[in-house]
Amino acid sequence: MGSKEPLLGKSPEELKEIVINNHLPVFTAKQITEWIYKKRAQSIDEMTNISLKGRETLKESYTIGTTNPIWSAESTDGTKKYLFETAHGNIETVYIPEDDRATLCVSCQVGCKMNCLFCMTGKQGWSGNLTPAEILNQILSIPDSTKLTNIVFMGMGEPFDNLLTILKVCKTVTSDYGLGWSPHRITVSTVGVIPGMIQFIKETDCHLAISLHNPIPEERAEIMPMEKKYSITDVITELKKYDWEHQRRVSFEYIVFEGINDTQRHATALLKLLKGLHCRINLIRFHKIPELSYCSPSESKMIAFRDYLSNNGIICTIRRSRGEDIMAACGLLSSNHKHDKIQ
């Protein structure tokens, strides 16, 4: 007998089809929806307003689809990293508490096809896309789930290489039937996969983040192969077609490498590239990974780079490093290791 299908991640329409096919009353679909997303049931047995016979029928082919993390680690700064099992392998999720915010960095793929030079996930190759249930499980199954204020798709994988799933998850999180969040509590990051980016902009009101890392196309291509297919100049041209001054936001992630992309030439190129686009830049310190000789510039150089951009009209911040001691910082997520059990 094959594995049971998860109910988590399904829309009310899909759940209605399931109950009809299983000869259950149509209103059962609404009950299941409420149990999954509002009451956060962990098992079909908890759905006590559904008849015992109905629950037994559902259990024959379906399961809720939530699973606990198989491992965790907590940083000295309070950041927590979790490991989840999925059909294609293990993925990592990072919980980042800060003052009145609690952000969850979720993964959308096992591995990644983008092969960015500085990213540990890219170095392990791609094993498969996560399902809506596997992404939502990261949100619902961490111990601090109810404390979350924000979600960022900045974990393992390229979101727009798994576009339809990302759109479905965003709808579930923001819909009244789902978690009921504002779309402005969600940020999706991409290296610049233009077709997916355009569809995402048109179909959601969630925030967008672009992994930029070098404003000079030829140099960017050396560290981000996708530049050869979707140039950053073309990405910016598309972004300028939309309104980023009201409601939603577009930001740029910029990992700073000593002597590689932190010069005056790069700062000037950034100003030229982003001229006329209402946005912000997040500067990120580079954290060493094996087999790569790059390093992060000094704090004073980071500040000087930030101040130059800020003084010339671009909102620019230096992102605080979190979870370094548990390898949770940007570019370090990789499931290519084994853990014994959750701590």
Side-chain angles (χ1 to χ4, degrees):
M1 191 170 100
S3 59
K4 296 180 180 180
E5 188 175 351
L7 296 172
L8 180 64
K10 298 195 181 299
S11 66
E13 294 75 24
E14 290 172 317
L15 292 172
K16 182 178 179 181
E17 185 177 346
I18 286 172
V19 301
I20 291 173
N21 289 342
N22 283 275
H23 310 292
L24 299 174
V26 174
F27 63 77
T28 307
K30 184 177 181 181
Q31 294 173 317
I32 295 173
T33 303
E34 290 179 348
W35 277 108
I36 293 173
Y37 299 118
K38 302 299 183 185
K39 300 178 183 179
R40 303 195 179 191
Q42 299 295 303
S43 72
I44 291 173
D45 286 328
E46 293 179 40
M47 301 179 179
T48 50
N49 58 352
I50 298 175
S51 69
L52 181 59
K53 182 180 179 181
R55 280 178 272 159
E56 292 300 320
T57 298
L58 286 171
K59 283 162 58 179
E60 289 177 8
S61 302
Y62 298 94
T63 180
I64 295 293
T66 53
T67 61
N68 291 326
I70 61 172
W71 175 89
S72 73
E74 183 169 357
S75 168
T76 54
D77 63 20
T79 299
K80 299 175 185 177
K81 184 164 74 169
Y82 295 96
L83 193 74
F84 287 94
E85 286 183 309
T86 76
H88 295 287
N90 296 339
I91 52 97
E92 295 182 357
T93 306
V94 180
Y95 172 76
I96 310 167
E98 187 168 15
D99 300 329
D100 58 346
R101 292 167 60 93
T103 300
L104 192 68
C105 180
V106 301
S107 295
C108 63
Q109 295 180 311
V110 180
C112 185
K113 299 176 186 175
M114 301 301 110
N115 197 28
C116 296
L117 182 66
F118 49 83
C119 179
M120 284 288 287
T121 303
K123 292 185 181 304
Q124 74 183 60
W126 177 83
S127 299
N129 287 334
L130 299 190
T131 64
E134 289 170 335
I135 294 177
L136 288 166
N137 183 58
Q138 297 171 67
I139 300 168
L140 297 178
S141 294
I142 64 162
D144 295 296
S145 177
T146 57
K147 300 177 183 178
L148 294 176
T149 63
N150 298 83
I151 297 169
V152 294
F153 284 85
M154 297 181 184
M156 298 168 63
E158 162 56 51
F160 296 157
D161 192 37
N162 191 12
L163 175 65
L164 296 182
T165 295
I166 296 299
L167 293 175
K168 189 173 186 180
V169 169
C170 288
K171 184 174 182 180
T172 301
V173 173
T174 59
S175 291
D176 289 339
Y177 73 77
L179 304 188
W181 283 30
S182 163
H184 302 142
R185 295 168 63 181
I186 302 173
T187 301
V188 178
S189 177
T190 177
V191 299
V193 180
I194 292 176
M197 182 183 77
I198 292 172
Q199 189 172 345
F200 171 80
I201 293 170
K202 290 180 176 179
E203 295 188 18
T204 80
D205 289 318
C206 300
H207 295 316
L208 178 68
I210 308 294
S211 294
L212 177 51
H213 312 311
N214 199 310
I216 301 168
E218 298 78 15
E219 295 182 17
R220 187 173 188 258
E222 293 179 5
I223 60 172
M224 302 178 71
M226 191 53 63
E227 168 68 27
K228 297 170 186 175
K229 185 171 184 179
Y230 300 117
S231 175
I232 191 62
T233 55
D234 293 335
V235 171
I236 302 303
T237 297
E238 287 296 331
L239 290 174
K240 288 181 177 178
K241 297 176 181 178
Y242 303 94
D243 176 16
W244 301 102
E245 293 192 47
H246 306 91
Q247 302 294 322
R248 72 191 315 179
R249 180 179 69 238
V250 63
S251 59
F252 293 88
E253 310 299 314
Y254 197 92
I255 299 177
V256 189
F257 307 106
E258 170 69 34
I260 303 295
N261 65 350
D262 62 345
T263 69
Q264 180 64 50
R265 182 169 59 92
H266 292 94
T268 302
L270 272 171
L271 293 177
K272 182 179 179 180
L273 177 69
L274 301 178
K275 184 177 180 181
L277 182 65
H278 187 82
C279 62
R280 70 168 58 229
I281 297 177
N282 294 314
L283 301 181
I284 302 167
R285 295 173 182 84
F286 175 65
H287 301 285
K288 294 287 291 182
I289 65 173
E291 302 174 11
L292 194 63
S293 59
Y294 291 174
C295 59
S296 181
S298 66
E299 183 71 11
S300 60
K301 198 166 186 180
M302 290 278 291
I303 292 171
F305 198 84
R306 177 201 65 189
D307 290 350
Y308 177 81
L309 294 173
S310 297
N311 293 337
N312 283 276
I314 294 182
I315 300 171
C316 186
T317 59
I318 299 174
R319 180 178 292 167
R320 178 185 168 196
S321 294
R322 301 294 300 269
E324 280 187 72
D325 53 328
I326 56 170
M327 296 286 282
C330 285
L332 297 183
L333 293 187
S334 172
S335 65
N336 195 22
H337 48 70
K338 297 181 182 294
H339 300 287
D340 296 325
K341 59 183 179 180
I342 190 165
Q343 296 176 343

